[in-house]
Amino acid sequence: MIRVAIVGAGQAGLSVSHHLTRLGVEHVLLEAATPAHEWADSRWDNFTLVTPNWHCRLPGHVYEGPDPDGFMTRDEVVAWLDDYVRSFDPPVRTHTRVVEARERDGGGFVLDLETPDGPDTLEADDVVVATGGYHRPIEPAFARAIDPSVTQLHSQQYRNADQLPEGGVLVVGTGQSGAQIAEDLHLEGRQVHLALGDAPRVARFHRGRDCMTWLADMGLYDTAVAQYPGGLAAREKTNHYVTGRDGGRDIDLRAFALDGMRLYEPRPRRRGDHVGRLGHRLPARLPLAAGRGVRRDGTPDAHARRDRGARPVLRRPAVDAHVGVRTVPRRRSRRGARRAVHRRRAALGARGGLMRIGAVAAHFGRDLDRALAKVRAIIDSARADGVELLVLPDATLGGYLTDLRDPRADLPPTLAQDDPRLAEVAAAAGDMVVCLGYTESAEVDGEQLRHNAALCVSGDGVLGRHRKVHQPLGESLVYAPGDRFEAFDTPLGRLGMLIDYDKTFPESARSLALDGARVVACLSAWPASVTDRASRLPQDRQSRLFDLYDSARAAENQVVWASSNQTGVLGGLRFLGQAKVVGPGGDVLARTWSKGGIAVADVDVEHEVARSRRVLHHLDELRPDSYVTTGREPS
Ligand SMILES: Cc1cc2nc3c(=O)[nH]c(=O)nc-3n(C[C@H](O)[C@H](O)[C@H](O)COP(=O)(O)OP(=O)(O)OC[C@H]3O[C@@H](n4cnc5c(N)ncnc54)[C@H](O)[C@@H]3O)c2cc1C
């Protein structure tokens, strides 16, 4: 007879064991497999926690790793739980399944066990059942009616795309697992058909904080199930879908639909249906935002207002981001916009050194008037969202070239440095800092030259200029190159600018960082591969390089990186989009995909740059004497 038997050695059973060990209560854990095996055995390869790491707080074992706001991968969770087991060596009988528990005459329980040595029994005064709620997959009845030639997997069995035969895949359900698995398959290049459920989506970050951090602050995780509105029925409610992948981000089914995933609306079963029916296919530009995109915006704000006395609105000054992928432009009245700015500015006071940075992915063609109107609309919309530094693409005014090999046929219009349209952009910028690209005409020694140029302005006028230095393919046929990289001061701190191909050369960003830039704005009109274009933009080799350079240049130089790009098609060039904001560790804080939008992130630039340079300071530890810089032919 033992004092306590705990059935199941998942994290719940282990936690009970930890408490009993501490209290000196004799007990045993009976585990059908091995401790915490569910995490290793029932999660897919690219699995990450949906809850931030700081949530991992078992009795006597709190996550103390380097990334409390990150999301552990499957293997990291397994290692973290293994550490827990090792830390107090709980008394576990592994591969021992409890098949029945009976009350014993005179008190206590008799447990019938299946063990590797055959059936056994155990008597215990008390039994704690900690068998979890997820290890028995729920299979809908219609699954059995599907033709056996169709491979079927339950989410519990899913590991990766290679398990499935080639071709399209139907994912049924958009709870947390369904939405993440659909994304996993989509990113692996599979044609995914997704049958939507009724789980709502949630923005991963709201006002720079993780949605679950908000929920914790609001006391949700301290509320007993019975106290939820609706009581115990709350247990049946489907969670919001969101992911911890890539450092945590939204799952935006609309973006996937635009990128080729096929979505089907839920359709009630009819009598006589043997197989579940797919509802209508939703159009790619589906109104999911209105219908399903339930954001929790109001609630955390209301909480923050109520609770302001108790804690600051933003507790963590760390790098935070929310991805605002929005089709621009969005109109607001000027008065509404001004009011919103005042609100944001007031909030900024509470945000300490946080700067809201917006990097734009958008299409701009040859029509200067249209481009100017679009720029004004984007600035208005970004201002209403509290953006302080806005980075528009290269060639915002007038568009880029249409053919890189022979660009002479269709050239963008040029603007002199004193063109009134540039002054109009500065006036529209007001107290924001705005970077944009255009084709500059300049007279040098009586010769009229054109430059691919970037301009940084605020309402006070021009803050900085850059002329593209590095020229791919035939660009040199129509543009004169720039000859320097110089940082400049802005009201938001020291900034540097690069254009497109400049970022391929590490020396460009390095020069700006050495010149004191804390933020580098990289303005692009970066097209998909000219020689070998992939059918899907995210798989194009130029997409890969574009992303790689953004992260590498930020990390090498320990600076914040705001990368904009053109989208859409101009002549023979198809532009990649993929605007993003990258932190000084190379971590992508916010990004858009191949369609238009603004990637918005709140970054405490000084704090984050200083933090990343505290131990390893790349600029201080340079060894310029060892480097070959000029004068040697490449071998
Ligand atoms: C796909 C997926 C993703 C998740 N993501 C997250 C997340 O990001 N963050 C988060 O906090 N939670 C997440 N969860 C939930 C989390 O996994 C569970 O809440 C947690 O594992 C519950 O712990 P537990 O100890 O109660 O149960 P389990 O971890 O399921 O452990 C139960 C144990 O009991 C054993 N057992 C069962 N029956 C018997 C028996 N008859 N005899 C002996 N042993 C038995 C099992 O073998 C198992 O080891 C996720 C769950 C799933 C399925």
Side-chain angles (χ1 to χ4, degrees), residues 6-15 29-39 42-44 47-52 55-56 71-72 77 81 93 95-100 113 129-136 155-156 176-177 180-181 212:
I6 304 167
V7 187
Q11 63 210 46
L14 290 169
S15 300
L29 277 153
L30 304 167
E31 168 54 54
T34 53
H37 73 101
E38 289 285 343
W39 290 96
S42 307
R43 306 285 184 269
W44 52 96
F47 174 89
T48 61
L49 286 179
V50 171
T51 44
H55 264 235
C56 297
F71 303 86
M72 284 192 271
V77 178
L81 286 168
R93 281 178 70 177
H95 304 288
T96 301
R97 176 180 295 279
V98 177
V99 286
E100 194 169 349
L113 313 177
V129 179
T131 50
Y134 294 107
H135 53 270
R136 202 175 287 168
S155 59
Q156 195 195 41
Q176 290 197 343
S177 296
Q180 290 177 77
I181 289 171
M212 290 176 187

Side-chain angles (χ1 to χ4, degrees), residues 206-209 214 312-317 320 350-351 354 602:
H206 176 70
R207 293 186 184 268
R209 304 184 77 214
W214 278 110
V313 177
L314 285 163
R315 231 175 10 180
R316 291 175 297 109
D320 281 323
R351 285 199 282 151
L354 284 181
D602 290 339

Side-chain angles (χ1 to χ4, degrees), residues 159-387:
R159 296 292 166 271
N160 54 52
D162 293 343
Q163 273 174 303
L164 298 164
E166 272 183 25
V169 186
L170 169 66
V171 177
V172 181
T174 42
Q176 290 197 343
S177 296
Q180 290 177 77
I181 289 171
E183 181 192 69
D184 195 47
L185 290 162
H186 180 72
L187 296 177
E188 288 299 320
R190 289 302 184 99
Q191 174 62 65
V192 174
H193 301 262
L194 181 60
L196 302 174
D198 56 9
R201 71 188 262 251
V202 67
R204 175 86 261 179
F205 299 99
H206 176 70
R207 293 186 184 268
R209 304 184 77 214
D210 191 275
C211 54
M212 290 176 187
T213 307
W214 278 110
L215 292 179
D217 264 10
M218 290 158 64
L220 191 96
Y221 300 120
D222 301 323
T223 308
V225 151
Q227 258 110 56
Y228 271 70
L232 295 181
R235 284 192 298 209
E236 307 303 324
K237 278 197 167 172
T238 321
N239 264 327
H240 290 74
Y241 61 82
V242 65
T243 181
R245 202 160 161 171
D246 301 332
R249 53 179 162 72
D250 298 3
I251 294 183
D252 188 347
L253 297 181
R254 288 164 305 166
F256 290 145
L258 291 170
D259 203 27
M261 192 187 282
R262 297 195 179 154
L263 308 186
Y264 302 84
E265 64 186 351
R267 179 166 167 170
R269 292 194 71 192
R270 293 202 210 124
R271 250 189 330 162
D273 278 356
H274 296 299
V275 177
R277 285 168 181 270
L278 277 185
H280 293 296
R281 184 172 157 207
L282 296 164
R285 291 193 179 280
L286 74 177
L288 265 185
R292 313 189 153 268
V294 179
R295 292 182 61 116
R296 292 181 173 272
D297 292 10
T299 318
D301 287 354
H303 165 74
R305 275 196 299 278
R306 276 197 306 275
D307 208 29
R308 191 161 290 161
R311 56 169 72 89
V313 177
L314 285 163
R315 231 175 10 180
R316 291 175 297 109
V319 174
D320 281 323
H322 81 238
V323 187
V325 182
R326 176 177 313 124
T327 325
V328 284
R330 187 166 61 105
R331 293 199 179 279
R332 261 186 218 217
S333 74
R334 281 197 169 274
R335 208 160 132 229
R338 261 203 310 276
R339 247 188 266 129
V341 177
H342 287 310
R343 271 203 311 276
R344 306 271 175 196
R345 299 249 165 244
L348 262 182
R351 285 199 282 151
L354 284 181
M355 184 198 301
R356 185 159 291 178
I357 302 175
V360 177
H363 177 71
F364 291 94
R366 291 279 178 265
D367 187 330
L368 281 173
D369 291 335
R370 270 175 79 171
L372 199 57
K374 189 166 179 175
V375 167
R376 275 204 218 93
I378 294 174
I379 290 177
D380 279 354
S381 169
R383 170 180 289 116
D385 280 348
V387 170

